[in-house]
Amino acid sequence: MPSSELACCVDVASNRLLSVLPWLKAVSPPQLTAEQLSFGIMAVILNEFESSSGSTAYNKEQDDNATWEQYLERRNLVLQFLHSNLSVHHLQHHQNKVELLKKCSFYLETEPKHVNVRNQNHMMHRTDVLQLIDPCQFQRMKKVGKNQTEIQLSLLTALLEQLEQGREELSCYVETWDMRTFLSRWDFIMQRLSKLSEFMETLLSLQVPGKLYVKHRLMPHADLRGTRLPNIRLSLCTKTPLIFDRKESFAHKDWAKLTWFTENQESHIEQCELHFKLLTNESQTETGYGRIQEVTSNMCIVQDLQPGRSYKFTIRRSNTQTFLCDKWQDSIILKTKTNAVEDMDSSVRAPEG
């Protein structure tokens, strides 16, 4: 025990002795010597010292246990956050969703899609709302939608990077900081947990394309002939990318068959553009002539190709009135067969059309 605590015990024992000293003198036999009296004083001091030491050690042990329990509780809280919100599997899931979103085609969607208007004979008929919207205003909203899409994709990438970095930081705190450092920096850790939770909520909200704020009227009064103006709402929507079927796409001597599908295996057939170019060198960086075929199907036969040459095929959706942008299109390179190889496979014939 420190000297200060020992001195405190001596003072306490001395005070107690002083309080009972008159009683000791009254009851002590005459033969009680000074040495015996000193021995009694020391016994009282030692007793007080041992009692105080035991109490201090017990309190210190209690404090240590409470601190350790607090450390374990807070450390487990961080571990739980790492194993749930910021788990490797969870972040990879969001990474895959963002990568798919980057490959999607973005469109403007109108609500309602149709309105009832009066014609010159004052008869009501159902009309596509896109035919009534002012073209200049609609083009302006398409620019707004494209900008919002690009910002949204950039934010998703930045948020994923922040969450990955946050996971590494929290893991470092748990694995390398001792108990004292961990508890002393707890306020800072709580701030990081709160900020990372906000990032995760924002990430989830941005994965769903949002609505667009319409500042000006999209539909002029004159075109409606007195019909009540509907409240036109614009929002962003996506279509999953078109992907070539590598097993079903192949080339022969002077023709090739290309087949594609959507990421979610949609059965809806829509208008697409099949681009293909002749590659003029082995590095496949230079291209020769090419052309585009409009297709309303999920398959296309390309004819009049050169034998023994490589062609790059790219599939994309047609540029419709509501189309905004697509940042990615799937491509495949096929090499046509030579005459010798084609002659060996006489059973294979190019389909008509």
Side-chain angles (χ1 to χ4, degrees):
M1 174 175 288
S3 58
S4 59
E5 294 186 9
L6 179 61
C8 181
C9 293
V10 172
D11 292 340
V12 172
S14 300
N15 291 333
R16 290 192 178 185
L17 282 173
L18 290 175
S19 63
V20 299
L21 190 58
W23 180 80
L24 286 173
K25 290 181 179 180
V27 300
S28 296
Q31 65 273 21
L32 190 63
T33 64
E35 290 79 2
Q36 291 172 326
L37 185 60
S38 298
F39 179 79
I41 294 173
M42 290 301 300
V44 172
I45 292 175
L46 289 174
N47 182 58
E48 291 290 338
F49 177 77
E50 292 174 357
S51 299
S52 177
S53 298
S55 177
T56 302
Y58 177 75
N59 292 335
K60 186 176 185 301
E61 183 179 357
Q62 279 190 323
D63 292 341
D64 290 343
N65 290 337
T67 302
W68 179 251
E69 291 178 359
Q70 184 184 52
Y71 166 69
L72 291 180
E73 180 181 357
R74 294 180 174 181
R75 184 175 183 272
N76 288 335
L77 181 64
V78 177
L79 286 174
Q80 183 180 0
F81 186 80
L82 285 172
H83 294 158
S84 56
N85 298 48
L86 291 186
S87 68
V88 175
H89 175 76
H90 198 59
L91 291 180
Q92 186 61 51
H93 170 72
H94 288 296
Q95 180 70 45
N96 294 339
K97 291 185 68 175
V98 172
E99 291 301 321
L100 176 59
L101 196 61
K102 290 180 178 180
K103 295 180 179 180
C104 286
S105 302
F106 286 81
Y107 294 81
L108 267 188
E109 190 173 45
T110 60
E111 284 292 337
K113 299 183 183 302
H114 299 85
V115 293
N116 294 322
V117 297
R118 297 181 186 275
N119 59 19
Q120 294 180 352
N121 298 324
H122 300 285
M123 298 293 294
M124 299 295 293
H125 63 97
R126 189 173 177 83
T127 306
D128 189 337
V129 72
L130 293 178
Q131 297 180 4
L132 303 175
I133 291 179
D134 181 83
C136 294
Q137 292 293 347
F138 192 69
Q139 288 299 320
R140 180 181 299 175
M141 293 309 301
K142 287 182 68 173
K143 291 182 180 180
V144 173
K146 184 178 180 180
N147 291 337
Q148 182 169 318
T149 298
E150 294 175 349
I151 293 173
Q152 181 175 340
L153 294 177
S154 298
L155 284 175
L156 285 171
T157 302
L159 286 169
L160 280 173
E161 293 177 355
Q162 288 292 329
L163 291 172
E164 290 282 359
Q165 181 181 347
R167 172 178 172 77
E168 295 179 0
E169 290 180 4
L170 291 178
S171 299
C172 179
Y173 301 158
V174 170
E175 295 171 2
T176 62
W177 284 2
D178 56 28
M179 180 182 68
R180 185 180 299 276
T181 304
F182 190 89
L183 292 178
S184 65
R185 302 295 302 276
W186 180 245
D187 288 342
F188 169 75
I189 295 175
M190 286 298 295
Q191 292 176 3
R192 291 296 293 147
L193 290 175
S194 177
K195 181 60 67 175
L196 291 171
S197 297
E198 293 179 8
F199 287 161
M200 181 60 70
E201 292 179 2
T202 305
L203 178 74
L204 293 174
S205 65
L206 288 178
Q207 288 179 9
V208 180
K211 295 182 178 181
L212 295 180
Y213 173 67
V214 181
K215 184 177 181 181
H216 304 284
R217 289 188 180 275
L218 297 177
M219 199 173 297
H221 293 271
D223 293 340
L224 295 179
R225 304 180 186 279
T227 306
R228 182 181 177 183
L229 284 171
N231 182 23
I232 304 298
R233 299 178 299 276
L234 296 180
S235 59
L236 299 174
C237 66
T238 60
K239 292 184 179 181
T240 53
L242 300 175
I243 300 175
F244 282 115
D245 189 332
R246 264 65 181 175
K247 295 181 179 180
E248 297 295 329
S249 299
F250 53 88
H252 283 281
K253 176 183 175 181
D254 57 358
W255 63 275
K257 176 184 177 182
L258 286 304
T259 303
W260 55 88
F261 57 89
T262 58
E263 182 72 18
N264 56 3
Q265 299 292 336
E266 293 175 342
S267 58
H268 175 66
I269 302 300
E270 54 188 315
Q271 190 171 8
C272 305
E273 296 176 355
L274 179 65
H275 300 241
F276 58 97
K277 293 182 178 181
L278 171 68
L279 301 177
T280 58
N281 63 349
E282 293 300 327
S283 64
Q284 300 174 349
T285 57
E286 296 181 7
T287 57
Y289 73 89
R291 63 181 190 263
I292 301 174
Q293 287 190 208
E294 294 284 344
V295 184
T296 308
S297 173
N298 61 350
M299 186 271 294
C300 180
I301 300 295
V302 180
Q303 300 192 28
D304 300 326
L305 302 180
Q306 299 180 27
R309 303 299 299 270
S310 294
Y311 290 85
K312 180 178 181 180
F313 299 88
T314 303
I315 186 68
R316 62 175 300 176
R317 290 183 172 88
S318 298
N319 192 347
T320 61
Q321 186 176 359
T322 59
F323 175 79
L324 290 181
C325 62
D326 55 0
K327 299 295 184 181
W328 180 89
Q329 300 92 33
D330 192 21
S331 297
I332 184 174
I333 295 176
L334 299 176
K335 185 174 183 179
T336 55
K337 297 178 181 180
T338 61
N339 290 331
V341 175
E342 186 68 16
D343 292 339
M344 293 176 60
D345 191 8
S346 59
S347 61
V348 178
R349 297 176 58 188
E352 298 179 358

